[in-house]
Amino acid sequence: MAPPAQSHRSPSPSQPSGKGEVSDLKMQLRQLAGSRAPGTDDSKRDLFKKVISYMTIGIDVSSVFSEMVMCSATSDIILKKMCYLYVGNYAKYNPDLALLTINFLQRDCKDEDPMIRGLALRSLGSLRVPNLVEYLVGPLGSGLKDGNSYVRMVAAVGVLKLYHISVSTCIDADFPALLKHLMLNDPDAQVVANCLSALLEIWGLEASSSEEAARERETLISKPIIYYLLNRIKEFSEWAQCTVLELVSKYAPPDSNEIFDIMNLLEDRLQHANGAVVLATIKLFLQLTLSMTDVHQQVYERIKAPLLTLVSSGSPEQSYAVLSHLHLLVMRAPMWFASDYKHLYCQYNEPFYVKKMKLEMLTAVANESNTYEIVTELCEYAANVDIPIARESIRAVGKIALEQYDVNAIVDRLLQFLEMEKDYVTAETLVLVKDLLRKYPQWSHDCIAVIGNISSNNVQEPKAKAALIWMLGEYAQDMQDAPYALEGLIDDWDDETSPEVRLHLLTAVMKCFFRRPPETQKALGSALAAGLSDMHQDVHDRALFYYRLLQHNVSVANSVVNPTKQAVSVFADTQSSEIKDRIFDEFNSLSVLYQKPCYMFTDKEHQGPFAFSEELGNMSIGVDDQRVEANDEDHLLSTTRNEDSLPQQTQGSLLVSFDQTEPAHAQQTNSVIDDIFGLGLSSSPAPAPAPLLKLNAKAVLDPTTFQQKWRQLPVSTSQEVSISPQGVAAMTSAQALVRHMQLDSIHCIASGGQAPNFKLFFFAQKENEPSNFLVECIINLSTSKAQIKIKVDDETASQAFSALFQSALSTFGMT
Amino acid sequence: MISQFFVLSQRGDNIVFRDYRGDVQKGSAEIFFRKVKFWKEDGETEAPPVFNVDGVNYFHVKVVGLLFVATTRANVSPSLVLELLQRIARVTKDYLGILNEDSIRKNFVLVYELLDEVIDFGYVQTTSTEVLKSCVFNEPIMIDAAHMPPLGPAALFMQGNKRMPGTAVTKSVVANEPGGRRREEIFVDIIEKISLTFSSSGYILTSEIDGTIQMKSYLTGNPEIRLALNDDLNIGRGGRSVYDYGGSSGSGAVILDDCNFHESVHLDSFDVDRTLALVPPDGEFPVMNYRMTQEFKPPFRINTLIEEAGSLKAEVMLKVRAEFPQNITANTVVVQMPVPKYTSRVSFELESGAVGQVTDFKEPNKKIEWTLKKIVGGSEHTLRAKLTFAHESHGIITKEAGPVSMTFTIPMYNCSRLQVKYLQIAKKSKTYNPYRWVRYVTQANSYVARI
């Protein structure tokens, strides 16, 4: 209903400003209130209409409340309806006046016309005034038993309204039990549906506090109720069918015959013109067959055509919703759509968000047999006048190249993009060529020839510029002009606004220096000088780091900036598989459109009656968060999002390699690095004796495995440790500790909580064997204590790890 | 469950605003409108139909230039809400005859009455015009259709409704006609939307027909109706039908990839004689949606030639040939082609004796646009355009221009050859003989020729 007067929209000429008109109305209503003259109802109708139209445009007409109520003594149903609408809108803000309406509403609840009984009951429930609930209980009770289905339908929803006004009144009157009885016995399908919706909401919300409600909620997905609802499925309206299908998707049939029975029964729902019914059915089919691989596969085949029909038959908005689901399934099982890729081609008049989804799907379904066609199509888009789509298309081509074995042709196409001489095409392509070279170093020769011809003046976008600079550094020996190109860029140092580019420049000139020292020496000198006086902290620090490294030992410096690189085999996925599974479980909901599980955008009470909540799930997934952050800081190697080397890990691996190659310098190097990262270990109390245990800096563990292991393994160590006052001070967020622990190759997989209580899960792996350490760490800042639980694959290493973990924790915040 | 429903005008005014659950703040309509109007996220300038602001999910569909919006805090099925919004628009249209800002403003009390019955406390109760009739009492105030601007096919696209135009029918399902009697009639429209892409060498790269059989019934007493389609209609490519007919795609059979049906449709005899039986509910509804990727004869062929004429000039020749029978005429055809960004001037040359053709150079988005009022089947039309560039082109000119796209409407023509062979109405008496209208129309959805 209309927002009462708070809205401040400037009134347009056609919309009256309010005051005068409202008092006029008040007068006229008062005159009519007692009148019994013929035609009164017609005049009342006109006045009521005026009131409601003011209400809609946001004028406060609450001052005519008593007049409206006085005029409501009528048998004219249209007048009544307008009056109910008005009362429902203003009662909440005028509880005293609302009391005036109780009388006539209660009287109407006993009217002989069922329509009026229903309407009055609906309005009574919509008053939303807590101290009037006592007047609601009686009419609701008789409404649920009314002979007319319309009234029962209204009463069932009325119970839910009452619950939201006063939980205790609703429960005390035993309304849920009445609803359940009605749900199982009422001949009218809409009454059944309303009872079901109300019960799902009530028991869903009660379940956390009442065991009985939790039990009742579970009985809703018990066999008798599920079968009762399924047998009546065709009596329900299409909307109620959706509710029932959603409920059935929570039911786990004990054997496969039952699964087939249900699927056969609902098979024709896939041909429904209402997309919501089809998607609800698809969800049910997918959930039922999760454990039956073959049938699951068949379901995928079966739903393909209905999904495509929905995508093309509805309004653009509906197409979008269905396409998002198709997107989810395609990304989950790309093979499934590999031969239907043509359906994913973009149409010129589609909005950007649709095209973008289609491009992602095309990228995913590309395989050996269709790559040629798909890439050809994508190249068409790349030449498109629509710049955002052109960019996305180029990225898509690049991603396909990274996935495919036969990149030959694709590399040629990418290089052709560079010849198009459009700034944005060149920019996107450069970023991709860089990624390609990291995966397929063998292509360097072909690429370098073309890249060498690109003038850095034509490249302005930071990401692209950084990519070009990276290549200049990495392939300095193959590119004739590399030192001079870099020199030119360093001359413009002060004009370079992007710190990312400046960081890359430092690294590239270092690399170049070791390969072609005489030509680069001057450039390196000016780069370091410029870097040392740079205002950006990271740039300054890196310049200082290189400077000291060179001072310390030139060959060590070389091994740091030019280590033997392994080709990147797989670029990490941006989303963990746990999150993807979660979204899949929430099929046919907003989670699919937002590509996020619902706990990320919905508060707890709105997650639905069967919300999936598990310990790990409720916390932010550490891996993911870090990755996003990593991208912001990750200047050393990468400019793309899908990066597998986190900066912290990179630092970790540097440490390790020093240890291995030149043990004599280890201590010193440590302190240099510590210095640079501002850790100042030397000034802190002597750290715990160096642990013998070596951890893998690049350890990987997916959350699902973590969860499994955590469940299976026994607790090996459990103790309470103190946190230093500095540590307490530094613990502004869980992330701070996560970053610190990572320096010791202890990775966080999930973290949550707010000061003063945090909970974090860590894992670590042994350097050269797949032996895992899992840690649960509960921190209470107010007591400065941390509860640590450690579980290990290899019990013998438990002691060493525990010591290492505690020493890492003890240095937290020591700056 | 839905918290609020509202309809906003293009300027953002509340035309109708209904709060069902009171758990979303009152200013939501303004928050929504501002967000949609100034959308800018991930480089997109157009808001998606669903988005989340501070925990509130906003759904919207655009209908006749109005925004139909729902809000909720719960993680609901987006298809359900978007479908519901469309359905509310359709039910409102059934009642008001014509759906636009004016008709809603004049009838807002009726609309509130509908909304009260359609949704209760956020849960959908019914969207059937039929059921609603029994509990909605306001009489619609009709607005005069003659004062409406004519809806060209371009306008139809603006409405974002792929299955227009049954719009010749602007009668309310409840209002009586001036004479007090209702005319007994039923409309069946077969509406097909074509998506087709020609490669630069003129081959068809992809093609699809998305069709709807739409029905609008004004029959009293809801008699049963039988709708017979082609005998040789097959459903499911690569399914059993292909084996049955031994690769029959050349033999003239109509093969649909897939289709779906309205709830009221009984398919009992569909497998035997391709007949749909239904008791049509009141109001407008799709009986059947179908999709076809079987090859078909494209209604138009497009030829494009671009030649550079010196460093600062180029000449474009566009040729459109209508490949449908002479007794058919396409309406309001628009051909568009983006030209290089650095084009500064365009001069056009139409064929001699051209009637009802307009050319335009859309300077801001660098497109040439050629509008033809009518194209008779079998005819061919040519446009020459001379482009003048602001500076020399660097690359290949064909990479800087195109593709050519086309929109059109062809009444009484359908590419799929799907037909309604007969429309049988269960007779109430011998004299009962209602009007039956079966109409075909083909429209371009995405009709593109690459150059």
Side-chain angles (χ1 to χ4, degrees):
Chain A
M1 261 167 256
Q6 299 93 322
S7 123
H8 294 299
R9 190 176 299 131
S10 60
S12 67
S14 64
Q15 296 184 346
S17 61
K19 289 238 162 89
E21 286 83 351
V22 175
S23 51
D24 266 5
L25 274 175
K26 200 178 167 91
M27 290 268 292
Q28 294 174 26
L29 280 168
R30 192 163 286 175
Q31 281 167 7
L32 283 174
S35 167
R36 290 194 187 279
T40 307
D41 280 351
D42 286 344
S43 341
K44 276 188 188 169
R45 273 197 200 181
D46 288 342
L47 286 176
F48 276 31
K49 263 188 201 171
K50 253 186 208 154
V51 171
I52 288 172
S53 90
Y54 286 177
M55 194 171 90
T56 302
I57 57 178
I59 296 172
D60 186 358
V61 282
S62 60
S63 57
V64 299
F65 201 105
S66 44
E67 284 77 13
M68 287 291 282
V69 175
M70 278 193 269
C71 284
S72 63
T74 171
S75 53
D76 184 275
I77 196 158
I78 293 179
L79 271 179
K80 268 193 196 297
K81 282 193 168 191
M82 284 196 266
C83 189
Y84 294 151
L85 180 66
Y86 173 88
V87 166
N89 199 28
Y90 285 111
K92 195 177 173 191
Y93 305 96
N94 304 281
D96 299 338
L97 290 170
L99 190 60
L100 296 174
T101 63
I102 290 287
N103 236 333
F104 83 84
L105 284 177
Q106 278 194 323
R107 196 174 56 237
D108 284 354
C109 281
K110 292 178 186 137
D111 198 282
E112 57 187 31
D113 181 350
M115 191 60 65
I116 294 190
R117 290 203 299 276
L119 288 171
L121 190 55
R122 185 183 290 158
S123 305
L124 204 53
S126 305
L127 293 181
R128 292 185 208 149
V129 182
N131 52 7
L132 297 182
V133 289
E134 50 184 308
Y135 300 102
L136 191 49
V137 176
L140 269 184
S142 35
L144 288 173
K145 294 185 195 95
D146 200 286
N148 185 286
S149 61
Y150 181 78
V151 182
R152 293 197 303 277
M153 203 173 95
V154 172
V157 178
V159 170
L160 185 57
K161 290 177 185 167
L162 172 64
Y163 175 82
H164 281 276
I165 307 168
S166 165
V167 173
S168 56
T169 316
C170 179
I171 304 287
D172 291 347
D174 213 16
F175 277 134
L178 274 172
L179 284 184
K180 190 178 175 186
H181 177 78
L182 208 55
M183 178 180 83
L184 295 176
N185 296 290
D186 204 280
D188 185 278
Q190 191 56 41
V191 176
V192 175
N194 283 358
C195 290
L196 176 62
S197 301
L199 285 177
L200 278 170
E201 215 181 309
I202 293 174
W203 281 335
L205 290 170
E206 285 293 289
S208 55
S209 56
S210 146
E211 261 185 47
E212 193 199 333
R215 253 199 324 278
E216 289 287 4
R217 184 188 58 172
E218 292 309 313
T219 58
L220 286 179
I221 46 172
S222 65
K223 188 169 171 174
I225 294 190
I226 293 292
Y227 273 53
Y228 164 75
L229 293 170
L230 279 178
N231 284 329
R232 298 184 68 171
I233 190 85
K234 292 201 177 136
E235 294 171 37
F236 290 111
S237 76
E238 50 200 307
W239 313 104
Q241 285 181 18
C242 294
T243 314
V244 172
L245 290 170
E246 175 67 29
L247 180 76
V248 179
S249 74
K250 303 283 186 283
Y251 170 64
D255 63 73
S256 54
N257 285 338
E258 228 179 274
I259 292 177
F260 291 127
D261 285 348
I262 295 177
M263 285 172 57
N264 284 328
L265 178 74
L266 298 174
E267 163 76 18
D268 64 346
R269 298 294 92 188
L270 290 174
Q271 281 198 329
H272 203 287
N274 185 337
V277 175
V278 178
L279 283 180
T281 312
I282 289 177
K283 175 179 185 175
L284 171 59
F285 282 19
L286 289 173
Q287 290 290 340
L288 283 179
T289 56
L290 268 182
S291 57
M292 310 158 79
T293 320
D294 290 357
V295 190
H296 198 63
Q297 221 51 47
Q298 285 170 22
V299 169
Y300 266 89
E301 282 308 313
R302 174 68 185 89
I303 62 181
K304 203 187 273 180
L307 276 173
L308 285 171
T309 306
L310 286 177
V311 169
S312 53
S313 68
S315 67
E317 293 89 1
Q318 287 152 304
S319 299
Y320 165 72
V322 180
L323 197 66
S324 303
H325 285 82
L326 189 68
H327 178 263
L328 172 79
L329 296 176
V330 167
M331 299 316 263
R332 213 178 149 79
M335 274 305 289
W336 166 58
F337 231 75
S339 53
D340 299 278
Y341 60 93
K342 280 194 176 176
H343 288 290
L344 304 174
Y345 285 179
C346 297
Q347 294 176 354
Y348 81 99
N349 52 357
E350 285 170 332
F352 177 79
Y353 48 79
V354 167
K355 286 184 178 165
K356 196 176 167 197
M357 261 196 287
K358 287 190 164 178
L359 289 178
E360 282 174 19
M361 288 191 270
L362 278 174
T363 313
V365 301
N367 64 14
E368 276 154 282
S369 61
N370 61 20
T371 296
Y372 180 80
E373 279 82 10
I374 292 181
V375 171
T376 307
E377 181 74 11
L378 288 173
C379 290
E380 287 285 342
Y381 307 153
N384 208 304
V385 286
D386 182 351
I387 294 177
I389 287 303
R391 282 175 182 276
E392 290 290 336
S393 307
I394 297 168
R395 280 178 216 156
V397 172
K399 275 190 209 152
I400 292 175
L402 289 176
E403 292 294 326
Q404 294 305 311
Y405 317 98
D406 176 33
V407 277
N408 202 340
I410 302 182
V411 171
D412 280 352
R413 303 243 185 145
L414 279 178
L415 297 179
Q416 278 171 18
F417 286 155
L418 291 175
E419 286 160 11
M420 281 167 63
E421 295 197 21
K422 289 187 186 174
D423 290 350
Y424 59 92
V425 175
T426 308
E428 289 295 340
T429 312
L430 278 175
V431 176
L432 284 174
V433 171
K434 179 212 65 181
D435 283 345
L436 270 179
L437 288 178
R438 294 181 59 205
K439 181 159 179 185
Y440 309 106
Q442 66 270 32
W443 289 104
S444 62
H445 191 71
D446 301 63
C447 295
I448 292 316
V450 183
I451 300 291
N453 292 331
I454 294 177
S455 158
S456 57
N457 296 332
N458 294 341
V459 182
Q460 289 309 323
E461 291 175 37
K463 292 252 178 226
K465 212 167 182 176
L468 179 62
I469 291 169
W470 182 84
M471 287 186 276
L472 285 171
E474 192 65 30
Y475 298 98
Q477 70 274 40
D478 306 323
M479 277 196 264
Q480 197 71 52
D481 291 340
Y484 311 104
L486 288 171
E487 198 174 324
L489 286 161
I490 291 163
D491 287 344
D492 298 332
W493 184 279
D494 293 333
D495 300 327
E496 181 52 63
T497 48
S498 159
E500 181 184 357
V501 173
R502 301 204 296 274
L503 281 169
H504 270 279
L505 209 43
L506 276 174
T507 308
V509 76
M510 277 287 276
K511 287 181 188 166
C512 189
F513 172 71
F514 288 111
R515 282 166 190 161
R516 301 162 69 172
E519 291 162 284
T520 323
Q521 197 175 4
K522 185 168 153 270
L524 179 61
S526 34
L528 287 177
L532 286 171
S533 53
D534 200 285
M535 295 303 284
H536 194 274
Q537 194 66 51
D538 291 347
V539 179
H540 172 261
D541 285 359
R542 188 174 294 179
L544 192 63
F545 171 66
Y546 285 153
Y547 178 71
R548 292 194 180 161
L549 203 54
L550 288 166
Q551 216 174 22
H552 164 68
N553 184 330
V554 176
S555 67
V556 170
N558 187 20
S559 69
V560 169
V561 295
N562 279 328
T564 28
K565 286 200 184 62
Q566 282 185 336
V568 178
S569 57
V570 181
F571 283 79
D573 213 326
T574 40
Q575 234 173 16
S576 75
S577 59
E578 197 247 3
I579 290 199
K580 285 182 186 162
D581 284 348
R582 189 72 80 84
I583 297 173
F584 179 74
D585 283 339
E586 294 168 10
F587 194 87
N588 193 22
S589 78
L590 289 167
S591 312
V592 179
L593 267 66
Y594 299 154
Q595 301 184 10
K596 285 177 194 162
C598 73
Y599 69 83
M600 288 189 182
F601 61 88
T602 305
D603 48 44
K604 205 156 185 326
E605 69 172 301
H606 291 103
Q607 287 178 10
F610 296 98
F612 171 82
S613 64
E614 218 175 305
E615 208 170 17
L616 269 175
N618 283 338
M619 296 191 275
S620 67
I621 299 301
V623 175
D624 229 43
D625 289 349
Q626 283 166 26
R627 195 149 281 140
V628 174
E629 251 172 67
N631 277 304
D632 295 333
E633 301 166 14
D634 188 6
H635 308 299
L636 192 59
L637 283 170
S638 107
T639 47
T640 53
R641 290 209 123 230
N642 300 348
E643 192 49 63
D644 60 344
S645 57
L646 306 178
Q648 294 90 342
Q649 289 172 341
T650 315
Q651 287 143 17
S653 66
L654 287 182
L655 251 169
V656 172
S657 70
F658 285 127
D659 280 351
Q660 287 166 340
T661 50
E662 301 194 23
H665 295 295
Q667 193 55 47
Q668 202 186 344
T669 320
N670 254 326
S671 70
V672 169
I673 290 185
D674 288 346
D675 231 16
I676 286 166
F677 293 105
L679 295 177
L681 266 189
S682 44
S683 65
S684 70
L692 297 168
L693 183 69
K694 278 217 175 79
L695 297 177
N696 179 3
K698 295 199 173 198
V700 220
L701 193 67
D702 67 291
T704 328
T705 324
F706 184 94
Q707 269 178 291
Q708 253 169 19
K709 280 192 178 295
W710 188 260
R711 253 181 258 130
Q712 289 160 358
L713 293 171
V715 178
S716 129
T717 315
S718 173
Q719 66 189 117
E720 190 176 82
V721 296
S722 303
I723 308 172
S724 65
Q726 292 96 324
V728 173
M731 190 79 190
T732 48
S733 70
Q735 272 320 312
L737 181 62
V738 168
R739 248 167 277 160
H740 172 77
M741 297 307 278
Q742 200 134 33
L743 296 176
D744 289 283
S745 302
I746 299 169
H747 310 281
C748 178
I749 194 152
S751 63
Q754 271 172 349
N757 293 306
F758 294 93
K759 184 170 186 179
L760 302 101
F761 287 93
F762 293 97
F763 72 93
Q765 271 164 5
K766 273 199 199 166
E767 171 83 87
N768 291 318
E769 44 181 311
S771 169
N772 294 297
F773 305 95
L774 314 180
V775 189
E776 181 197 77
C777 177
I778 300 170
I779 296 177
N780 185 341
L781 293 181
S782 48
T783 59
S784 308
K785 291 274 196 269
Q787 296 279 352
I788 304 172
K789 259 188 216 157
I790 300 176
K791 301 189 178 185
V792 293
D793 279 343
D794 173 13
E795 193 61 40
T796 56
S798 167
Q799 206 67 44
F801 177 76
S802 170
L804 194 144
F805 187 86
Q806 287 182 39
S807 100
L809 193 64
S810 68
T811 60
F812 177 55
M814 303 280 188
T815 46
Chain B
M1 59 205 96
I2 287 152
S3 292
Q4 299 163 326
F5 167 85
F6 46 89
V7 180
L8 297 185
S9 74
Q10 258 157 344
R11 297 177 305 282
D13 296 332
N14 276 352
I15 304 177
V16 174
F17 188 107
R18 184 80 172 86
D19 192 317
Y20 290 107
R21 289 181 69 99
D23 60 357
V24 170
Q25 69 272 35
K26 295 284 185 191
S28 56
E30 246 165 287
I31 296 172
F32 165 80
F33 190 70
R34 221 170 279 151
K35 196 84 188 169
V36 165
K37 188 121 199 210
F38 306 106
W39 185 265
K40 218 162 179 70
E41 239 163 68
D42 316 329
E44 302 182 36
T45 50
E46 191 180 350
V50 185
F51 55 84
N52 182 305
V53 183
D54 298 330
V56 178
N57 303 297
Y58 294 86
F59 299 78
H60 73 280
V61 302
K62 290 186 191 128
V63 188
V64 291
L66 301 171
L67 292 162
F68 282 62
V69 191
T71 64
T72 178
R73 285 187 180 275
N75 189 19
V76 295
S77 157
S79 298
L80 187 140
V81 180
L82 293 169
E83 181 82 39
L84 175 67
L85 290 174
Q86 287 288 350
R87 240 27 119 65
I88 292 178
R90 202 193 292 163
V91 167
T92 314
K93 181 172 177 249
D94 282 344
Y95 267 84
L96 306 184
I98 297 166
L99 184 66
N100 60 22
E101 183 173 344
D102 195 28
S103 70
I104 296 185
R105 280 194 191 279
K106 279 214 168 72
N107 288 288
F108 71 93
V109 179
L110 168 63
V111 177
Y112 276 126
E113 214 187 339
L114 284 171
L115 288 175
D116 256 346
E117 300 298 336
V118 169
I119 302 171
D120 193 4
F121 206 56
Y123 291 100
V124 189
Q125 301 297 306
T126 180
T127 47
S128 143
T129 304
E130 193 83 17
V131 176
L132 286 167
K133 261 186 179 175
S134 66
C135 39
V136 169
F137 298 93
N138 275 294
E139 286 273 330
I141 301 161
M142 301 306 288
I143 60 166
D144 195 348
H147 292 161
M148 300 274 303
L151 293 171
L156 294 180
F157 284 112
M158 301 287 289
Q159 297 163 18
N161 190 339
K162 280 189 187 171
R163 50 169 109 84
M164 284 311 278
T167 40
V169 199
T170 53
K171 287 200 298 188
S172 162
V173 292
V174 286
N176 286 323
E177 308 218 336
R181 278 188 46 203
R182 281 167 48 127
R183 188 148 95 154
E184 290 286 312
E185 55 189 342
I186 181 162
F187 296 84
V188 178
D189 294 328
I190 291 90
I191 302 159
E192 294 191 347
K193 297 263 178 188
I194 303 182
S195 303
L196 192 146
T197 309
F198 293 106
S199 75
S200 50
S201 45
Y203 288 113
I204 297 174
L205 282 174
T206 56
S207 67
E208 180 169 305
I209 298 174
D210 300 314
T212 302
I213 302 181
Q214 191 157 290
M215 189 176 274
K216 191 160 190 178
S217 159
Y218 293 93
L219 304 177
T220 43
N222 303 82
E224 196 195 44
I225 285 179
R226 296 179 73 77
L227 206 64
L229 307 177
N230 312 37
D231 290 330
D232 56 359
L233 183 72
N234 282 290
I235 294 162
R237 275 165 80 86
R240 57 168 198 274
S241 55
V242 169
Y243 299 109
D244 287 354
Y245 286 78
S248 61
S249 60
S251 74
V254 177
I255 305 173
L256 304 180
D257 289 39
D258 185 49
C259 55
N260 61 36
F261 303 94
H262 187 262
E263 268 212 315
S264 63
V265 177
H266 292 287
L267 296 168
D268 304 338
S269 59
F270 187 68
D271 281 338
V272 185
D273 59 4
R274 296 298 178 215
T275 304
L276 305 172
L278 68 156
V279 175
D282 286 338
E284 190 175 288
F285 67 100
V287 176
M288 169 179 168
N289 296 310
Y290 57 91
R291 184 167 53 81
M292 184 175 119
T293 52
Q294 186 191 15
E295 266 181 46
F296 60 91
K297 194 174 180 189
F300 290 101
R301 287 271 173 191
I302 306 167
N303 279 318
T304 316
L305 209 69
I306 303 186
E307 273 177 349
E308 283 183 68
S311 58
L312 289 171
K313 279 189 193 322
E315 197 178 312
V316 178
M317 193 189 74
L318 280 171
K319 195 187 277 180
V320 171
R321 197 166 70 238
E323 305 232 294
F324 42 85
Q326 288 177 354
N327 57 349
I328 304 279
T329 304
N331 290 333
T332 39
V333 181
V334 181
V335 185
Q336 284 192 323
M337 178 176 138
V339 293
K341 287 270 175 286
Y342 41 83
T343 307
S344 57
R345 219 156 42 80
V346 181
S347 65
F348 296 98
E349 191 187 315
L350 286 167
E351 58 206 346
S352 57
V355 185
Q357 297 187 22
V358 181
T359 54
D360 191 13
F361 173 46
K362 303 267 180 202
E363 180 86 42
N365 40 19
K366 303 288 181 191
K367 269 183 187 174
I368 54 176
E369 193 179 278
W370 177 23
T371 313
L372 303 97
K373 237 180 185 166
K374 272 183 186 152
I375 296 186
V376 179
S379 66
E380 188 176 280
H381 299 275
T382 312
L383 171 72
R384 285 170 201 279
K386 290 198 168 71
L387 313 182
T388 308
F389 301 142
H391 59 78
E392 270 184 63
S393 78
H394 305 293
I396 318 146
I397 190 161
T398 48
K399 291 258 177 211
E400 312 264 345
V404 181
S405 63
M406 210 175 160
T407 58
F408 50 80
T409 303
I410 317 175
M412 297 323 285
Y413 181 73
N414 71 331
C415 293
S416 70
R417 290 177 292 115
L418 179 97
Q419 281 184 317
V420 173
K421 275 170 43 204
Y422 61 83
L423 172 64
Q424 194 180 59
I425 302 169
K427 284 204 172 168
K428 285 190 287 195
S429 68
K430 277 188 184 149
T431 54
Y432 184 68
N433 196 13
Y435 293 90
R436 295 159 223 209
W437 308 93
V438 178
R439 306 178 295 185
Y440 295 86
V441 66
T442 294
Q443 289 186 323
N445 180 28
S446 161
Y447 205 84
V448 175
R450 290 183 177 154
I451 56 174

